[in-house]
Amino acid sequence: MRLIIAEKPSLARAIAEALPGALRREDGALVAGDTTVTWCLGHLLEQAPPDAYDPAFKQWRLDHLPILPDRWKHTPRPKARGQLTVIRRLLKGAQEVVHAGDPDREGQLLVQEVIEHLGWKGPVSRLLVNDLNRPAVQRSLARLEDNARYQPLYRAAESRARADWLYGINLTRAWTLTGRQAGHDGVLSVGRVQTPVLGLVVRRDNEIRDFKPRPFFVLWADLTVTHGMLRAWWVPGETHPLDDQGRLLSREPAAALAERLPGAEGRLTALESRDRRQAAPLPYSLSALQVDAARRFGLSAKVTLDVCQRLYERHKLITYPRSDCRYLPEEHLAGARATLQGACQADDTLRGWFEGADFSRRSKAWNDKQVGAHHALAPTGKPADLARLDKTEADIFRMITRNVVAQFYPPLVTREVKAEFSILDNLFRARGQEVLAAGWKPLFTTRDEAPPLPPLTEGEACRVADVGVEDRETRPPEPFTDASLIKAMMNIARYVEDAAVRRTLREHDGLGTEATRAGIIETLVERGYLVRRGKALRATRIGSALIASLPEAVGQPERTALWEQRLGAIAEAGDDPAPFLAALIEDLHGLLSAADAGRLSLALRDARGEAPPPPTRARSSNAKSSRGKSSNSKVSRPRRGTARGKATKH
């Protein structure tokens, strides 16, 4: 008997329906011929809690930290025992096992850890399914691979799970216990991704809070030229009071010039014209889709992910959604017309886009070198009756399909014009944009980015028809939204100050993964560290206090982004995970020694807007010594846990 273990029931059903032979259902499985398909329910196993290693760890104590498992253990999730029993029974009668987890790091982990936990020693093949429609699943079943090829991916996922456990368990216990000493009754959760994300929001909120607006002034002049009129803006010289962005800080020079300008004549001294060809945006990765859906429809990242999962699993209208790739396999190009025709035929908007496509074109989106375990989001070709979808599902499906259809449209061609005028020995600039060929742009928007300038000739005369001085103010940065926070997580190198680290991270950009970013934001909201105010995501008082009390590096993105780089090296280059975990454990010792109840108390007071306590009178050295011994505001040196070398063997 061949046993296929899928990641979830929907995938198991799609696989079973693609198998030859009559299909029958058994307890926890589907059977077709000599093949049985069973499933996990997401993660059936989880990292064992600390007290599974030592019953004393059930009580949270500072002198237990750091807790370092000698030999890693798993425990069944509460609702998973029944399905684990089914898989154990089926394994006893199997001659071959097929791993059918999702085609990503977590998918590799959650099925393989079950296979290993249940002690299977026989051969294991790997089935990768990106599309749940029957023809696509049948093609995948014909291309089974040796699961050994994906061992680096499994080791990376396993290392990530162990590192998250070490980091989260130890730091959460340390800060929760020092929080109690500081008067906070509740768990203070610290995580290797969630805390840097919280740190991004806290720092942005602090920038907004501390922002001091500064006035600046701009002068514009409406100019009559040979073939029409345009608006130009004065460029103050270096002799005027300017800030570091060239903005005028005093109104007087602008006002004085404005009085002289009406009716003044000048000349166009420099004219630059450049035609620009812009290809269509690439098909979506999950994060890119979440950013656009948040901007266009105000959807949270989690709502967009949930909608994509329904379109993939329930409706079978799109390919695997939890993808970080924006490219498509070259073999899909030949069938793209038929696929898109099926996706677009039942919707007026999509059908109009499809009919305007030129399928003789080939964009850079079709590139096998850019495709890894999964490709960009795309329609499957199943006929889509959008009337049977809810509005949000239809909106997201249109976006995904549009970005693929757009690959068969010509480029957007624009002419960008920059003009410089000399008037009363002062420099004025104007710029405009003209659309020469709309190309793919009407699929996305009909709005022009900038109005075109009238036809211009270098050296022609101009005359000032109107003039104005505008009083403006510098503005604080915008608070994060779901869209901008997801984008920040995708492009985390932009938020790194160290130039060397920033250069390194450009190749391994990303805080969290496509599959986890939405969940991270929701977790921070659920734990009371972030709150939504309209579209804005703002840090709560306790969220701000937590970041203020932690070592600065814990709330910064560098550490976890570099983790992802090292995990990528394990997954892609087969690096040994032991040095990664050893470095983490060494790091933990230093971080734990920084847990300070006094610092946390001050952070909590500051977040509540309370004044700091008045200074106390000096006491005798004996009294100070006695107080220091009892306060235990610093984490004690670790008494428990194994040697570092042992913790990194697994």
Side-chain angles (χ1 to χ4, degrees), residues 528-548:
Y529 298 150
L530 294 182
V531 64
R532 284 191 173 90
R533 295 175 183 164
K535 290 185 177 181
L537 285 165
R538 307 301 291 263
T540 62
R541 290 176 176 177
I542 190 62
S544 296
L546 177 59
I547 292 299

Side-chain angles (χ1 to χ4, degrees), residues 148-226:
R149 179 181 174 186
Y150 295 90
Q151 289 313 291
L153 198 66
Y154 172 67
R155 285 193 292 271
E158 182 183 60
S159 299
R160 191 277 311 156
R162 292 175 177 180
D164 280 351
W165 191 97
L166 289 167
Y167 197 79
I169 290 290
N170 284 294
L171 294 186
T172 295
R173 288 194 174 202
W175 259 261
T176 298
L177 291 167
T178 52
R180 290 175 187 171
Q181 296 172 1
H184 175 73
D185 184 18
V187 174
L188 290 175
S189 177
V190 180
R192 62 112 182 176
V193 177
Q194 68 168 20
T195 305
V197 173
L198 175 60
L200 286 174
V201 179
V202 169
R203 287 188 292 278
R204 174 64 59 84
D205 286 353
N206 290 344
E207 289 176 30
I208 296 169
R209 179 198 65 198
D210 298 337
F211 182 80
K212 299 290 190 295
R214 296 185 64 185
F216 68 98
F217 308 90
V218 296
L219 167 62
W220 53 264
D222 287 341
L223 308 180
T224 302
V225 292
T226 304

